Amino acid sequence: QVHLVESGGGLVQAGGSLRLSCKAPRQIFSVFSPTVMAWYRQSPGKGRELVASISSDRTTNYADSVKGRFTISRDNSQKRVYLQMNSLKPEDTAVYYCNQVHPDSTIYWGQGTQVTVSS
């Protein structure tokens, strides 16, 4: 099973910032860019929730809890998606997963990167 490659997680104090990055490995070959790229997160005892998504026309969608603080962006030439996270709160602590939906409807996931926000 092929996974997307995530980076950028870590430990930060409340109010700080982190930038997550995700790219498709070479094994995922596609002439066309992913239809949708997204970030999800899962904290202990909770289900996986959508944080933000961006479509091929760059339409974005955010969870209410992160609006105004997080920004999702994409680089189609590199098949990368980014999540800039500002004004982080302890409740943002979670494992963050990258997601890409490709034009052939194949869905890929990353293995997750831990984000920990201390109070």
Side-chain angles (χ1 to χ4, degrees), residues 5-6 10 17 23-25 27-28 32 36 38 53 55 62 71 83 86 90 93 96 103 105 111 113-115:
V5 180
E6 299 143 334
S17 299
K23 69 175 182 179
Q27 295 95 316
I28 300 176
F32 302 101
V36 178
S53 66
S55 62
Y62 294 95
T71 302
L83 186 68
N86 299 328
T93 295
Y96 284 70
S105 299
Q111 293 186 296
T113 184
Q114 177 70 46
V115 171

Side-chain angles (χ1 to χ4, degrees), residues 39-43 47-51 63 65-66 69-70 91-97:
W39 289 94
Y40 289 73
R41 68 185 180 187
Q42 186 168 17
S43 51
R48 192 172 295 189
E49 63 171 348
L50 176 66
V51 176
S65 59
V66 306
R69 300 188 297 122
F70 291 11
E91 50 263 44
D92 294 318
T93 295
V95 178
Y96 284 70
Y97 296 91

